[in-house]
Amino acid sequence: MKKIILLLMFSTVIFSCKNSEEKNTETEETTVENVEKILAYKGDFINSDGAMVLMGPNFIYGVKRDLLSEGLAKQVEAVKKNDYDMVGVIVKGVVSKNTDKESEWDEEITIKEIMRVADKPSEVDIKLNETEKKN
C-alpha cells in the first residue's frame, strides 16, 4: 500500500512540473510577440506640403507625426536651403502598416530616437535647368 501511495505522489509531482513548464513557454511567446523591433534607418528626410517622408535606398516610409518627428522636422528645416531639399538623417524607429486612410503610404515609421542630422542638404539625383522665357 505504501508503494502505491508513493507512486501516486511521484506521478502527481511529475505532471504538475510539466504543466508549469508549458505555462512558462506560453508566457514567453506572448511576450516576444509584443516587443517592437526598433531598428536604425538611414535615409533622406523631407517635410513638404504637410507630409513627412523618410526615403532610403530601398524603402520609402511616411513618418508618423508626433513630438519627436516634429523635432526632427525643425532640425531639418534649419539645414534646408529651399522647400524641396532633402536632408540625410539616421533615426531609430518602428515600421508598421499604415492605418491612416488619408495617407498614401503603405508603411509608416514611428521615430523613437534621432541619431544624426546632416549639416547640409543631400545632393540631387536629377537637376533641372530652369531657363527664362524670352518673348
Side-chain angles (χ1 to χ4, degrees), residues 23-103:
K23 289 178 184 176
N24 288 340
T25 305
E26 290 174 9
T27 305
E28 289 173 10
E29 289 174 2
T30 55
T31 305
V32 171
E33 290 174 7
N34 293 334
V35 174
E36 296 176 328
K37 289 187 178 183
I38 299 175
L39 301 174
Y41 295 91
K42 180 179 180 180
D44 292 327
F45 180 85
I46 187 168
N47 181 13
S48 177
D49 297 329
M52 292 187 203
V53 178
L54 180 66
M55 183 176 80
N58 56 358
F59 64 84
I60 297 178
Y61 299 133
V63 177
K64 186 173 184 175
R65 286 193 176 274
D66 58 12
L67 287 175
L68 210 50
S69 64
E70 293 291 340
L72 178 61
K74 286 180 183 175
Q75 289 180 19
V76 167
E77 191 65 34
V79 175
K80 290 177 12 175
K81 293 180 181 170
N82 67 46
D83 288 344
Y84 299 104
D85 278 343
M86 298 179 85
V87 177
V89 298
I90 300 174
V91 296
K92 284 186 179 180
V94 177
V95 174
S96 60
K97 289 285 184 191
N98 188 3
T99 57
D100 186 9
K101 304 280 189 219
E102 295 177 11
S103 177

Coordinates of all heavy atoms in Angstrom, one line a residue, residues 23-103:
K23 N 3.1 26.4 -19.2 CA 2.6 27.7 -19.0 C 3.7 28.8 -19.1 O 3.4 29.8 -19.7 CB 2.0 27.8 -17.5 CG 0.7 27.0 -17.4 CD 0.2 27.1 -16.0 CE -1.1 26.2 -15.8 NZ -1.5 26.2 -14.5
N24 N 4.9 28.5 -18.7 CA 6.0 29.4 -18.9 C 6.3 29.6 -20.3 O 6.6 30.7 -20.7 CB 7.3 28.9 -18.1 CG 7.1 29.0 -16.6 OD1 6.3 29.8 -16.1 ND2 7.9 28.3 -15.9
T25 N 6.3 28.6 -21.1 CA 6.6 28.7 -22.5 C 5.5 29.6 -23.2 O 5.9 30.5 -24.0 CB 6.6 27.3 -23.2 OG1 7.5 26.5 -22.5 CG2 6.9 27.4 -24.7
E26 N 4.3 29.5 -22.9 CA 3.2 30.3 -23.5 C 3.4 31.8 -23.1 O 3.2 32.6 -23.9 CB 1.8 29.8 -23.0 CG 1.4 28.5 -23.6 CD 0.1 28.0 -23.0 OE1 -0.5 28.7 -22.3 OE2 -0.2 26.8 -23.3
T27 N 3.8 32.0 -21.9 CA 4.0 33.4 -21.4 C 5.2 34.0 -22.2 O 5.1 35.2 -22.6 CB 4.3 33.4 -19.9 OG1 3.2 32.8 -19.2 CG2 4.4 34.8 -19.4
E28 N 6.2 33.3 -22.4 CA 7.4 33.8 -23.1 C 7.0 34.1 -24.6 O 7.4 35.1 -25.1 CB 8.5 32.8 -23.1 CG 9.2 32.7 -21.7 CD 10.2 31.6 -21.7 OE1 10.6 31.0 -22.7 OE2 10.7 31.3 -20.6
E29 N 6.2 33.3 -25.2 CA 5.9 33.5 -26.6 C 5.0 34.8 -26.7 O 5.3 35.5 -27.7 CB 5.1 32.3 -27.1 CG 6.0 31.1 -27.3 CD 5.2 29.9 -27.7 OE1 3.9 30.0 -27.9 OE2 5.8 28.8 -27.9
T30 N 4.1 35.0 -25.9 CA 3.2 36.2 -26.0 C 4.1 37.4 -25.7 O 3.9 38.5 -26.3 CB 2.0 36.1 -25.0 OG1 2.5 35.9 -23.7 CG2 1.1 35.1 -25.4
T31 N 5.0 37.3 -24.8 CA 5.9 38.5 -24.5 C 6.8 38.8 -25.7 O 6.9 40.0 -26.1 CB 6.8 38.2 -23.3 OG1 6.0 37.8 -22.2 CG2 7.6 39.4 -22.9
V32 N 7.3 37.8 -26.4 CA 8.2 38.1 -27.5 C 7.4 38.7 -28.7 O 7.9 39.6 -29.4 CB 8.8 36.7 -28.0 CG1 9.5 36.9 -29.3 CG2 9.8 36.3 -26.9
E33 N 6.1 38.3 -28.9 CA 5.3 38.8 -30.0 C 5.0 40.3 -29.8 O 4.9 41.1 -30.7 CB 4.0 38.1 -30.1 CG 4.2 36.7 -30.6 CD 2.9 35.9 -30.6 OE1 1.8 36.5 -30.3 OE2 2.9 34.7 -30.9
N34 N 4.9 40.8 -28.5 CA 4.5 42.2 -28.2 C 5.7 43.2 -28.3 O 5.5 44.3 -28.2 CB 3.9 42.3 -26.9 CG 2.5 41.6 -26.9 OD1 1.9 41.4 -27.9 ND2 2.1 41.1 -25.7
V35 N 6.9 42.6 -28.5 CA 8.1 43.5 -28.5 C 8.2 44.2 -29.9 O 8.1 43.5 -30.9 CB 9.4 42.7 -28.2 CG1 10.6 43.5 -28.4 CG2 9.3 42.1 -26.8
E36 N 8.4 45.5 -29.9 CA 8.5 46.2 -31.1 C 10.0 46.1 -31.6 O 10.9 46.1 -30.8 CB 8.2 47.7 -30.9 CG 6.8 47.9 -30.5 CD 6.5 49.4 -30.3 OE1 7.5 50.1 -29.8 OE2 5.4 49.8 -30.5
K37 N 10.2 46.0 -32.9 CA 11.5 45.9 -33.5 C 12.0 47.3 -33.8 O 11.6 48.0 -34.7 CB 11.5 45.1 -34.7 CG 11.4 43.6 -34.5 CD 11.6 42.9 -35.8 CE 11.4 41.4 -35.5 NZ 11.7 40.6 -36.7
I38 N 12.8 47.9 -32.9 CA 13.4 49.2 -33.1 C 14.7 49.0 -33.8 O 15.6 48.5 -33.3 CB 13.6 49.9 -31.8 CG1 12.2 50.1 -31.0 CG2 14.2 51.3 -32.0 CD1 12.4 50.7 -29.7
L39 N 14.7 49.5 -35.1 CA 15.9 49.4 -35.9 C 16.4 50.8 -36.3 O 15.6 51.8 -36.3 CB 15.6 48.6 -37.2 CG 15.1 47.2 -36.9 CD1 14.7 46.5 -38.2 CD2 16.2 46.4 -36.3
A40 N 17.6 50.9 -36.8 CA 18.2 52.2 -37.3 C 17.9 52.3 -38.8 O 18.0 51.3 -39.5 CB 19.6 52.3 -37.0
Y41 N 17.5 53.5 -39.2 CA 17.3 53.7 -40.7 C 18.1 54.9 -41.1 O 18.0 56.0 -40.4 CB 15.8 53.9 -40.9 CG 14.9 52.7 -40.6 CD1 14.4 52.5 -39.3 CD2 14.7 51.8 -41.6 CE1 13.7 51.4 -39.0 CE2 14.0 50.6 -41.3 CZ 13.4 50.5 -40.0 OH 12.7 49.3 -39.8
K42 N 18.7 54.8 -42.2 CA 19.5 55.9 -42.8 C 18.8 56.3 -44.1 O 18.6 55.4 -45.0 CB 20.9 55.5 -43.0 CG 21.8 56.6 -43.6 CD 23.2 56.1 -43.8 CE 24.1 57.2 -44.4 NZ 25.4 56.7 -44.6
G43 N 18.5 57.6 -44.2 CA 17.8 58.0 -45.5 C 17.7 59.5 -45.5 O 18.3 60.2 -44.7
D44 N 17.0 60.0 -46.5 CA 16.7 61.4 -46.7 C 15.4 61.7 -46.2 O 14.4 61.0 -46.5 CB 16.8 61.8 -48.2 CG 18.2 61.7 -48.7 OD1 19.2 61.9 -47.9 OD2 18.4 61.3 -49.9
F45 N 15.3 62.8 -45.4 CA 14.0 63.2 -44.8 C 13.5 64.5 -45.5 O 14.3 65.4 -45.8 CB 14.2 63.5 -43.3 CG 13.0 64.0 -42.6 CD1 12.1 63.1 -42.0 CD2 12.8 65.3 -42.4 CE1 11.0 63.5 -41.4 CE2 11.6 65.7 -41.7 CZ 10.7 64.8 -41.2
I46 N 12.2 64.5 -45.7 CA 11.6 65.7 -46.3 C 10.3 66.0 -45.6 O 9.6 65.1 -45.3 CB 11.5 65.6 -47.9 CG1 11.0 67.0 -48.4 CG2 10.5 64.5 -48.2 CD1 11.1 67.1 -49.9
N47 N 10.0 67.3 -45.4 CA 8.8 67.7 -44.8 C 8.2 68.8 -45.8 O 8.6 69.9 -45.7 CB 9.0 68.3 -43.4 CG 7.7 68.7 -42.8 OD1 6.6 68.4 -43.3 ND2 7.8 69.4 -41.7
S48 N 7.3 68.3 -46.7 CA 6.9 69.2 -47.7 C 5.3 69.1 -47.8 O 4.8 68.0 -47.9 CB 7.5 68.9 -49.0 OG 7.0 69.7 -50.0
D49 N 4.7 70.2 -47.9 CA 3.2 70.3 -48.0 C 2.5 69.4 -46.9 O 1.5 68.7 -47.2 CB 2.8 69.8 -49.4 CG 3.3 70.7 -50.5 OD1 3.4 71.9 -50.2 OD2 3.6 70.2 -51.6
G50 N 3.0 69.4 -45.7 CA 2.4 68.7 -44.6 C 2.7 67.2 -44.6 O 2.2 66.6 -43.7
A51 N 3.4 66.7 -45.5 CA 3.8 65.3 -45.5 C 5.2 65.1 -45.1 O 6.1 65.7 -45.6 CB 3.5 64.7 -46.9
M52 N 5.5 64.2 -44.1 CA 6.8 63.9 -43.7 C 7.2 62.5 -44.3 O 6.4 61.5 -44.2 CB 6.9 63.8 -42.2 CG 6.8 65.1 -41.5 SD 7.2 64.9 -39.8 CE 6.3 66.3 -39.1
V53 N 8.3 62.4 -45.0 CA 8.7 61.2 -45.6 C 10.2 60.9 -45.3 O 11.0 61.8 -45.3 CB 8.5 61.3 -47.2 CG1 9.0 60.1 -47.9 CG2 7.1 61.6 -47.5
L54 N 10.5 59.6 -45.1 CA 11.8 59.1 -45.0 C 12.1 58.2 -46.1 O 11.4 57.2 -46.3 CB 12.0 58.4 -43.6 CG 13.5 57.9 -43.4 CD1 14.4 59.0 -43.3 CD2 13.5 57.0 -42.2
M55 N 13.1 58.6 -47.0 CA 13.4 57.8 -48.2 C 14.8 57.2 -48.1 O 15.8 58.0 -48.0 CB 13.2 58.6 -49.4 CG 13.4 57.9 -50.7 SD 13.1 58.9 -52.2 CE 14.6 59.8 -52.3
G56 N 14.9 55.9 -48.2 CA 16.3 55.3 -48.2 C 16.5 54.7 -49.6 O 15.7 54.8 -50.5
P57 N 17.6 53.9 -49.7 CA 18.0 53.3 -51.0 C 17.0 52.2 -51.4 O 16.8 52.0 -52.6 CB 19.3 52.7 -50.7 CG 19.5 52.6 -49.3 CD 18.6 53.7 -48.7
N58 N 16.3 51.6 -50.5 CA 15.3 50.5 -50.9 C 14.0 50.6 -50.1 O 13.3 49.6 -49.9 CB 16.0 49.2 -50.7 CG 16.5 48.9 -49.3 OD1 16.4 49.8 -48.4 ND2 17.0 47.8 -49.0
F59 N 13.7 51.8 -49.6 CA 12.4 52.0 -48.9 C 12.0 53.4 -49.0 O 12.8 54.3 -49.2 CB 12.5 51.6 -47.4 CG 13.5 52.4 -46.6 CD1 13.1 53.6 -46.0 CD2 14.8 52.0 -46.4 CE1 13.9 54.4 -45.3 CE2 15.7 52.8 -45.6 CZ 15.2 54.0 -45.1
I60 N 10.7 53.6 -48.8 CA 10.1 54.9 -48.7 C 9.0 54.8 -47.6 O 8.0 54.0 -47.8 CB 9.5 55.5 -50.0 CG1 10.5 55.7 -51.0 CG2 8.8 56.8 -49.7 CD1 10.0 56.2 -52.4
Y61 N 9.1 55.5 -46.5 CA 8.1 55.4 -45.4 C 7.5 56.8 -45.2 O 8.2 57.8 -45.1 CB 8.7 54.9 -44.1 CG 9.3 53.5 -44.2 CD1 10.6 53.3 -43.7 CD2 8.6 52.5 -44.8 CE1 11.2 52.0 -43.8 CE2 9.2 51.2 -44.8 CZ 10.4 51.0 -44.3 OH 11.0 49.7 -44.4
G62 N 6.2 56.8 -44.9 CA 5.6 58.0 -44.3 C 6.0 58.1 -42.9 O 6.2 57.1 -42.2
V63 N 6.2 59.3 -42.4 CA 6.6 59.4 -41.0 C 5.4 59.8 -40.1 O 4.7 60.8 -40.5 CB 7.8 60.5 -40.9 CG1 8.2 60.7 -39.4 CG2 9.0 60.1 -41.7
K64 N 5.2 59.1 -39.0 CA 4.1 59.4 -38.2 C 4.4 60.7 -37.4 O 5.5 60.8 -36.8 CB 3.9 58.2 -37.2 CG 2.7 58.4 -36.3 CD 2.4 57.1 -35.5 CE 1.2 57.3 -34.7 NZ 0.8 56.1 -34.0
R65 N 3.4 61.5 -37.4 CA 3.5 62.8 -36.7 C 3.4 62.6 -35.2 O 2.4 62.1 -34.7 CB 2.5 63.8 -37.1 CG 2.7 64.3 -38.5 CD 1.8 65.5 -38.8 NE 2.2 66.1 -40.1 CZ 3.1 67.0 -40.3 NH1 3.8 67.5 -39.3 NH2 3.4 67.5 -41.5
D66 N 4.4 63.1 -34.5 CA 4.4 63.1 -33.0 C 5.5 64.2 -32.6 O 6.1 64.9 -33.5 CB 4.7 61.8 -32.4 CG 6.0 61.1 -32.8 OD1 6.8 61.8 -33.4 OD2 6.2 59.9 -32.5
L67 N 5.7 64.3 -31.3 CA 6.7 65.3 -30.9 C 8.1 65.1 -31.4 O 8.8 66.0 -31.8 CB 6.7 65.3 -29.3 CG 5.5 65.9 -28.6 CD1 5.6 65.8 -27.1 CD2 5.4 67.4 -29.0
L68 N 8.5 63.8 -31.5 CA 9.9 63.5 -32.0 C 10.0 63.8 -33.4 O 11.0 64.4 -33.9 CB 10.2 62.1 -31.7 CG 11.6 61.7 -31.4 CD1 12.3 62.6 -30.4 CD2 11.8 60.3 -31.0
S69 N 9.0 63.5 -34.2 CA 9.1 63.7 -35.7 C 9.0 65.3 -36.0 O 9.7 65.8 -36.9 CB 8.0 63.0 -36.5 OG 6.8 63.4 -36.1
E70 N 8.2 66.0 -35.2 CA 8.2 67.4 -35.3 C 9.5 68.0 -35.0 O 10.0 69.0 -35.6 CB 7.1 68.0 -34.4 CG 5.7 67.6 -34.9 CD 5.2 68.2 -36.2 OE1 5.8 69.2 -36.6 OE2 4.3 67.7 -36.8
G71 N 10.2 67.5 -33.9 CA 11.5 68.0 -33.6 C 12.5 67.7 -34.7 O 13.4 68.6 -35.0
L72 N 12.4 66.6 -35.3 CA 13.3 66.3 -36.5 C 13.0 67.2 -37.6 O 14.0 67.7 -38.3 CB 13.1 64.8 -36.9 CG 13.9 64.4 -38.1 CD1 15.4 64.5 -37.9 CD2 13.5 63.0 -38.6
A73 N 11.8 67.5 -37.9 CA 11.4 68.5 -38.9 C 12.0 69.8 -38.7 O 12.5 70.5 -39.6 CB 9.9 68.6 -39.1
K74 N 12.1 70.3 -37.4 CA 12.7 71.6 -37.1 C 14.2 71.6 -37.3 O 14.7 72.5 -37.8 CB 12.3 72.0 -35.6 CG 10.9 72.4 -35.4 CD 10.6 72.7 -34.0 CE 9.1 73.1 -33.9 NZ 8.8 73.3 -32.5
Q75 N 14.8 70.4 -36.9 CA 16.3 70.3 -37.2 C 16.6 70.3 -38.6 O 17.5 71.0 -39.1 CB 16.8 69.0 -36.5 CG 16.8 69.0 -35.0 CD 17.4 67.7 -34.5 OE1 18.0 67.0 -35.1 NE2 17.1 67.5 -33.2
V76 N 15.8 69.6 -39.4 CA 16.0 69.6 -40.9 C 15.7 70.9 -41.5 O 16.4 71.4 -42.4 CB 15.1 68.5 -41.5 CG1 15.1 68.6 -43.0 CG2 15.6 67.1 -41.1
E77 N 14.7 71.6 -41.0 CA 14.4 73.0 -41.6 C 15.5 73.9 -41.4 O 15.7 74.8 -42.3 CB 13.1 73.5 -40.8 CG 12.5 74.7 -41.4 CD 11.9 74.5 -42.8 OE1 11.4 73.4 -43.0 OE2 12.0 75.4 -43.6
A78 N 16.3 73.8 -40.4 CA 17.5 74.7 -40.2 C 18.6 74.4 -41.2 O 19.4 75.3 -41.5 CB 18.0 74.5 -38.8
V79 N 18.6 73.2 -41.8 CA 19.6 72.9 -42.7 C 19.2 73.1 -44.2 O 20.1 73.4 -45.0 CB 20.0 71.4 -42.5 CG1 21.0 70.9 -43.6 CG2 20.5 71.1 -41.1
K80 N 17.9 73.0 -44.5 CA 17.4 73.2 -45.8 C 17.7 74.5 -46.4 O 17.7 75.5 -45.7 CB 15.9 72.9 -45.9 CG 15.5 71.5 -45.6 CD 14.1 71.2 -45.6 CE 13.1 72.2 -46.1 NZ 11.7 71.7 -46.1
K81 N 17.9 74.6 -47.7 CA 18.1 75.8 -48.4 C 16.8 76.3 -49.2 O 16.6 77.4 -49.4 CB 19.3 75.7 -49.4 CG 20.6 75.6 -48.7 CD 21.7 75.5 -49.6 CE 23.0 75.3 -48.8 NZ 24.2 74.9 -49.7
N82 N 16.0 75.3 -49.6 CA 14.7 75.6 -50.2 C 13.7 74.6 -49.7 O 14.1 73.6 -49.0 CB 14.8 75.7 -51.7 CG 15.1 74.3 -52.4 OD1 14.5 73.3 -52.0 ND2 16.0 74.3 -53.3
D83 N 12.5 74.8 -50.1 CA 11.4 73.9 -49.5 C 11.5 72.5 -49.9 O 10.9 71.6 -49.2 CB 10.0 74.5 -50.0 CG 9.7 75.8 -49.3 OD1 10.3 76.0 -48.2 OD2 8.7 76.5 -49.7
Y84 N 12.1 72.2 -51.0 CA 12.1 70.8 -51.5 C 13.5 70.1 -51.3 O 13.7 69.0 -51.8 CB 11.8 70.8 -53.0 CG 10.4 71.3 -53.2 CD1 10.2 72.6 -53.7 CD2 9.3 70.6 -52.9 CE1 8.9 73.1 -53.9 CE2 8.0 71.1 -53.0 CZ 7.8 72.4 -53.6 OH 6.6 72.9 -53.7
D85 N 14.3 70.7 -50.5 CA 15.6 70.0 -50.2 C 15.3 68.8 -49.2 O 14.5 68.9 -48.4 CB 16.6 71.0 -49.4 CG 17.3 71.8 -50.4 OD1 17.4 71.5 -51.6 OD2 17.9 72.8 -49.9
M86 N 16.1 67.7 -49.5 CA 16.0 66.6 -48.6 C 17.3 66.6 -47.8 O 18.4 66.9 -48.3 CB 15.9 65.3 -49.4 CG 14.6 65.2 -50.2 SD 14.4 63.7 -51.1 CE 13.8 62.7 -49.9
V87 N 17.2 66.2 -46.5 CA 18.4 66.2 -45.6 C 18.6 64.8 -45.1 O 17.7 64.1 -44.7 CB 18.2 67.2 -44.5 CG1 19.4 67.1 -43.5 CG2 18.0 68.6 -45.0
G88 N 19.9 64.3 -45.2 CA 20.2 63.0 -44.7 C 20.1 62.9 -43.2 O 20.5 63.8 -42.5
V89 N 19.4 61.8 -42.7 CA 19.3 61.6 -41.3 C 19.5 60.1 -41.0 O 19.4 59.3 -41.9 CB 17.8 62.0 -40.8 CG1 17.6 63.5 -41.0 CG2 16.8 61.2 -41.5
I90 N 19.8 59.8 -39.7 CA 19.8 58.5 -39.2 C 18.9 58.5 -38.0 O 19.1 59.3 -37.1 CB 21.2 58.0 -38.8 CG1 22.2 58.1 -40.1 CG2 21.2 56.6 -38.3 CD1 23.6 57.8 -39.8
V91 N 17.9 57.6 -38.0 CA 16.9 57.6 -36.9 C 16.7 56.1 -36.5 O 17.0 55.2 -37.3 CB 15.6 58.2 -37.3 CG1 15.7 59.7 -37.6 CG2 14.9 57.5 -38.5
K92 N 16.3 55.9 -35.3 CA 15.8 54.6 -34.8 C 14.3 54.7 -34.8 O 13.8 55.7 -34.3 CB 16.4 54.3 -33.5 CG 17.8 53.9 -33.5 CD 18.3 53.4 -32.1 CE 19.7 52.9 -32.2 NZ 20.1 52.5 -30.8
G93 N 13.7 53.6 -35.3 CA 12.2 53.7 -35.3 C 11.6 52.3 -35.5 O 12.3 51.3 -35.6
V94 N 10.3 52.3 -35.5 CA 9.5 51.1 -35.7 C 8.6 51.3 -36.9 O 7.9 52.3 -37.0 CB 8.6 50.9 -34.5 CG1 7.7 49.6 -34.7 CG2 9.4 50.7 -33.2
V95 N 8.7 50.4 -37.9 CA 8.0 50.4 -39.1 C 6.7 49.6 -38.9 O 6.8 48.4 -38.4 CB 8.8 49.9 -40.3 CG1 7.9 49.9 -41.5 CG2 10.0 50.9 -40.5
S96 N 5.6 50.1 -39.3 CA 4.3 49.3 -39.2 C 3.4 49.7 -40.4 O 3.7 50.6 -41.1 CB 3.6 49.7 -37.9 OG 3.3 51.1 -37.9
K97 N 2.4 48.9 -40.5 CA 1.4 49.1 -41.6 C 0.7 50.4 -41.3 O 0.4 50.7 -40.2 CB 0.4 48.0 -41.7 CG 0.9 46.7 -42.2 CD 1.1 46.8 -43.7 CE 1.5 45.5 -44.3 NZ 2.0 45.6 -45.7
N98 N 0.4 51.2 -42.3 CA -0.2 52.5 -42.2 C -1.7 52.2 -42.1 O -2.3 51.6 -42.9 CB 0.1 53.4 -43.4 CG -0.4 54.8 -43.2 OD1 -1.0 55.1 -42.2 ND2 -0.2 55.6 -44.2
T99 N -2.3 52.7 -41.0 CA -3.8 52.6 -40.8 C -4.5 53.9 -41.1 O -5.8 53.8 -41.1 CB -4.1 52.2 -39.3 OG1 -3.5 53.2 -38.5 CG2 -3.5 50.8 -39.0
D100 N -3.8 54.9 -41.4 CA -4.4 56.2 -41.8 C -5.0 56.2 -43.2 O -4.2 56.0 -44.2 CB -3.4 57.3 -41.6 CG -4.1 58.7 -41.8 OD1 -5.3 58.8 -41.9 OD2 -3.3 59.7 -41.9
K101 N -6.2 56.3 -43.4 CA -6.9 56.2 -44.7 C -6.5 57.4 -45.6 O -6.4 57.3 -46.8 CB -8.4 56.2 -44.6 CG -8.9 55.1 -43.7 CD -8.9 53.8 -44.5 CE -9.6 52.7 -43.6 NZ -9.1 51.5 -43.7
E102 N -6.2 58.5 -45.0 CA -5.9 59.7 -45.8 C -4.4 59.7 -46.4 O -4.1 60.4 -47.3 CB -6.1 61.0 -45.0 CG -7.5 61.2 -44.6 CD -7.7 62.4 -43.7 OE1 -6.7 63.2 -43.5 OE2 -8.8 62.6 -43.1
S103 N -3.5 58.9 -45.7 CA -2.2 58.9 -46.2 C -2.0 57.9 -47.3 O -2.7 56.9 -47.4 CB -1.3 58.4 -45.0 OG 0.0 58.3 -45.4

